Amino acid sequence: MTDSKKALIVGASRGIGLGVVDVLAKRGWQVTATTRGDAPAKSPASVEWIKLDINQSAAREAAKDALSAQRFDLIFVNAGVFGPDHQDIDRATDDEIVQLLLTNAVSPVRTAAKFLPLLNHRSGVLALMTSELSSLNENEVATYPLYSASKATLNMLARGLLEATEKQELTLLSIHPGWVKTDMGGENATLTVEESATGIVDQFDAYRGKGGHHFVDYAGRKLRW
Ligand SMILES: NC(=O)c1ccc[n+]([C@@H]2O[C@H](COP(=O)([O-])OP(=O)(O)OC[C@H]3O[C@@H](n4cnc5c(N)ncnc54)[C@H](OP(=O)(O)O)[C@@H]3O)[C@@H](O)[C@H]2O)c1
């Protein structure tokens, strides 16, 4: 245990979020993580779990109150959903589209804005989990259009946090995890959770103190918006 920095990981019950919790805990960070259900059985023992559905404003408020005495070096909003498998804008119901945009774009940024005062000035990193599919430059043929549009919306709403993060001299990251073997990424994905999570945590370290808003992947590759 060489490092006692503190992290808050939002949406960490499984997949990449839980992987990032594992990597941080192994590196000696004190980790608080959120889940909608019970704490995951595979959680490192040192992790503190709190309940949060990011779509519930009362739950965001309660989580902020519960954490108000703490200060973090990293807040990472990882929670996300894929939306309807068919990804067809004509077949998707209005409710499916609203839920997708709420969960992937509006609620992550509302959550980040709510918790932002809990970040340590200057050294703090505020990160949101996006996807390279969000980018008109990287995703020229609109692969998975509904999901990708929700992450594009996330990127722009995250940019709206820049004034506030600059006031606190924080670094704002929009991060792409690679294609990862999770419930969302599927078995054919190219990366294990451990590979992606290790790279993501390396980027949190690399960008600490830089300021600004950066769009990077788990391996440190700069992506075009
Ligand atoms: N896997 C990939 O290849 C890939 C690629 C690019 C980007 N991403 C992004 O990476 C993030 C993690 O993806 P993953 O592959 O690890 O997916 P996953 O295994 O499906 O995990 C999604 C996580 O988000 C949580 N979540 C969903 N809705 C939530 C809500 N309303 N409130 C709180 N938590 C919520 C889930 O909690 P529950 O267990 O309660 O459902 C779960 O912990 C997502 O933002 C995803 O879009 C993934």
Side-chain angles (χ1 to χ4, degrees):
M1 304 280 273
T2 55
D3 202 329
S4 62
K5 292 201 285 290
K6 292 179 84 167
L8 172 63
I9 312 301
V10 176
S13 61
R14 57 196 165 94
I16 304 164
L18 184 55
V20 167
V21 165
D22 274 335
V23 172
L24 289 168
K26 280 187 188 131
R27 292 188 187 183
W29 285 60
Q30 290 177 52
V31 182
T32 302
T34 80
T35 173
R36 291 193 286 190
D38 293 333
K42 290 180 191 158
S43 167
S46 61
V47 177
E48 179 197 2
W49 288 91
I50 63 170
K51 287 273 173 73
L52 177 59
D53 179 334
I54 61 167
N55 290 337
Q56 305 293 325
S57 66
R60 292 195 297 267
E61 194 67 47
K64 163 86 181 296
D65 286 349
L67 298 169
S68 62
Q70 302 198 48
R71 289 297 172 270
F72 296 95
D73 302 285
L74 165 69
I75 295 178
F76 178 36
V77 183
N78 166 75
V81 292
F82 186 69
D85 283 345
H86 54 70
Q87 290 286 303
D88 183 334
I89 196 164
D90 284 329
R91 281 173 63 195
T93 65
D94 289 357
D95 189 50
E96 283 173 328
I97 292 172
V98 167
Q99 281 305 314
L100 177 61
L101 290 172
L102 194 66
T103 306
N104 282 5
V106 175
S107 297
V109 175
R110 285 178 166 165
T111 303
K114 174 72 68 187
F115 293 157
L116 197 142
L118 305 180
L119 275 164
N120 282 323
H121 286 222
R122 280 185 288 284
S123 63
V125 173
L126 177 63
L128 295 111
M129 183 66 109
T130 185
S131 166
E132 68 180 349
L133 295 172
S134 67
S135 164
L136 288 169
N137 288 295
E138 307 283 347
N139 183 6
E140 290 182 353
V141 295
T143 303
Y144 304 133
L146 296 179
Y147 173 77
S148 302
S150 73
K151 293 291 191 178
T153 307
L154 170 67
N155 292 350
M156 185 58 81
L157 293 175
R159 177 59 61 85
L161 296 171
L162 186 58
E163 192 181 342
T165 57
E166 286 191 332
K167 265 193 198 136
Q168 282 181 235
E169 299 177 74
L170 307 171
T171 301
L172 181 59
L173 287 183
S174 290
I175 196 139
H176 167 60
W179 184 23
V180 190
K181 292 180 209 295
T182 62
D183 294 339
M184 189 187 296
E187 286 174 5
N188 294 330
T190 50
L191 296 171
T192 64
V193 164
E194 192 181 358
E195 287 166 338
S196 172
T198 300
I200 288 169
V201 173
D202 287 345
Q203 299 321 310
F204 296 153
D205 285 340
Y207 276 85
R208 178 171 312 289
K210 284 197 191 298
H213 183 196
H214 309 271
F215 183 17
V216 288
D217 76 1
Y218 75 103
R221 184 170 61 108
K222 288 187 177 156
L223 300 171
R224 295 169 299 162
W225 294 105

